Structures are given as C-alpha cells and as structure tokens.
Amino acid sequence: MALRLVTWNVNSVRARIDHALRLIDALRPDILCLQEIKVEDAAFPGRPFVDAGLPHIALAGQKGYHGVAVLSRLPLADTARVDWGSKGEARHVSVAVDGHLRLHNLYIPAGGDVPDVAENPKFAEKLAYFDNAAAWFADGLKNDGALPAILVGDLNVAPLPSDVWSHKQLLRVVSHTPVEVEKLEILQAAGGWCDVMRHVVPAPAPLFTWWSYRARDWRKAARGRRLDHVWVSPGLIPHIRHMEVFDVARDWPRPSDHAPVVVDFDLDL
DNA sequence: ATGGTTGTGTGACAA
C-alpha cells in the first residue's frame, strides 16, 4: 500500500481552486500540502477538497498573504502552529497523520530583493526564521521523538549548485546566497532531516520546482530554482518509492509559479 | 544592465 504525498505552493488557493482540483484528479494524493493559500481560515474553500476525497483539513491561514494547509484522505490529529518569525505570520502547520507520522508544512519567508541584513529587514527576518526553526527542531521531544516525520514546503532556498539554472549568476541573488544555504543546512541537520528529492535525483542533475512569471516562455527561458523541498526522518528513506516534480502543472493556464512535488512511500497507514 | 508577471484588493506591496 502506497502513501502519496504532494506539496505545492499554490499562490492563492482561491485563484487556483480549479488547478488544485485538477491536480487531485491527476495525481490522487493521500495528503496534499499547500503553501501561500493567501486566505484566512474562515474563508478557506474547504468543500471542494472534501468532495474531492480529502476531507481532513488543517489550516494556518491569514488574510491576503502567506498561509499553509494540509488536506488529507487520512484522519489528522494534534494540529499545531508555530511562529518562528516575529510578525505573527501564518507560515507553519503541523499534524499527526492517523497517529503514525508527524507532518510539518512550511512557507519560509522569501527575504526580499537585497541579500544584506543591514539594508533589507526582510532578509534579516528570513535568516532569523531559519535560526529559530533550527533551535525548535533541535529539541527531539518537540519533534515527537520516535514518530517518523516529514517536513515539506516552500523553503525559499535552493541549496545546491544544481538546484539553480546558474550557480555563478545566482550567488548574490536571494534564495541561493551562501548565508541562506548555510542556514538551510543547519536547519536540516538540527532536525536530522534527509533530503528526499536529492535521494531520488542526486546532484549534479538539475532539479527545479519554481520558474519566474517574468518570462514569456518558462521552458525556453530555462531559469528554474529548487525552492520546494521534501525532508524525512532517516527511517523513512527506505520507504521512498517515487518522486517527481509535476511540472506539467506549470503549463496549465494561469499557473502558479511553483510546480507540485510528488512523493510515494510504501507505508501502511 | 534592465525589465520582465502575478495576486490581493483597489493602492501599493510582496513575491
């Protein structure tokens, strides 16, 4: 029996509800994690997801910006939201899936345009967000100790040279600067996380999940970055059966600028 | 080098 997990920065769940339903129809996920839902909890369009076979919903929403959601075929419990920032933004939701595993869904701050903490408060906030999240995940009890765990989301950092279209040209571009990569690596080590995408597609093969809107033809421009990630606790690594970036969705009319990431596990839940 | 697009909610922001 397989567990199919999909994570996707939808860039407004209300603007792209038809895309989300088309995605569910195409991929039949057991669990769908969304980021940038851009809606407060009370206005979340839950009914279409219930009708599409994902009736268990955990939300951390806010009006207009950010926000994350977990939509599941399997029962969810122990919903928790942690703010590792300082502005009360909705960037994390965590659930226990059917009592068998702990799932964290994150939308890490993008960090603005200028990669300098003195000039750009948003960049400082992004780095601090990583520090606070790393400190939190370093505490094994908060991470449910022995329970298998999965962390997904838009982490807004492309760590490896092959995670961007040009390592050299992006070294001073926010999302690929050495200081951001270091913070991401510290967070990964703090939680003992393993990178599922690079387990399946090892570097230096290019692997991207995001392509800017600011190109007439995103495939032709060929300027992607791997901003979205799936991390697991080490015990889940032998249970990985499949991973793909579903970039077909980037070709749909009025798409999100992110493509969904699909992972199949052989877990009996 | 620069500008290029989108969503929210109706004017700038954020990305």
Side-chain angles (χ1 to χ4, degrees), chain A residues 111-124 172-174 177 180:
Chain A
D113 287 331
V114 182
D116 183 318
V117 294
E119 277 185 51
N120 174 12
K122 290 181 181 301
F123 193 68
R172 277 176 269 185
V173 173
V174 172
T177 64
E180 291 171 89

Side-chain angles (χ1 to χ4, degrees), chain A residues 69-237:
Chain A
V70 179
L71 308 146
S72 175
R73 181 180 64 78
L74 304 157
L76 304 176
D78 301 327
T79 299
R81 302 166 190 85
V82 184
D83 181 10
W84 293 299
S86 54
K87 296 165 153 182
E89 295 171 338
R91 296 182 174 278
H92 166 264
V93 66
S94 170
V95 292
V97 180
D98 219 12
H100 290 288
L101 62 89
R102 171 59 59 175
L103 174 64
H104 295 278
N105 182 12
L106 276 75
Y107 174 54
I108 288 182
D113 287 331
V114 182
D116 183 318
V117 294
E119 277 185 51
N120 174 12
K122 290 181 181 301
F123 193 68
E125 169 126 356
K126 181 178 192 176
L127 299 185
Y129 192 95
F130 273 107
D131 289 340
N132 294 333
W136 192 91
F137 279 106
D139 185 337
L141 289 176
K142 285 182 180 169
N143 200 17
D144 279 336
L147 264 195
I150 303 176
L151 184 155
V152 303
D154 178 2
L155 306 187
N156 265 315
V157 176
L160 303 176
S162 51
D163 290 333
V164 293
W165 65 276
S166 168
H167 174 57
K168 192 179 171 192
Q169 289 183 252
L170 288 173
L171 270 172
R172 277 176 269 185
V173 173
V174 172
S175 74
H176 192 61
T177 64
V179 62
E180 291 171 89
V181 171
E182 183 185 21
K183 296 295 188 188
L184 183 82
E185 287 172 347
I186 290 170
L187 172 61
Q188 190 173 340
W193 298 110
C194 302
D195 182 340
V196 169
M197 298 179 72
R198 282 309 186 183
H199 177 81
V200 176
V201 182
L207 191 57
F208 310 140
T209 65
W210 174 89
W211 295 264
S212 172
Y213 282 127
R214 300 173 192 181
R216 294 246 164 75
D217 181 335
W218 67 277
R219 284 195 192 273
K220 199 170 174 184
R223 293 186 170 191
R225 305 179 201 172
R226 186 170 69 107
L227 303 180
D228 303 275
H229 297 264
V230 179
W231 292 352
V232 295
S233 51
L236 287 177
I237 288 286

Side-chain angles (χ1 to χ4, degrees), chain A residues 234-250:
Chain A
L236 287 177
I237 288 286
H239 294 276
I240 300 165
R241 283 296 164 268
H242 176 74
M243 187 285 299
E244 71 183 291
V245 178
F246 193 68
D247 61 4
V248 172
R250 187 65 178 76

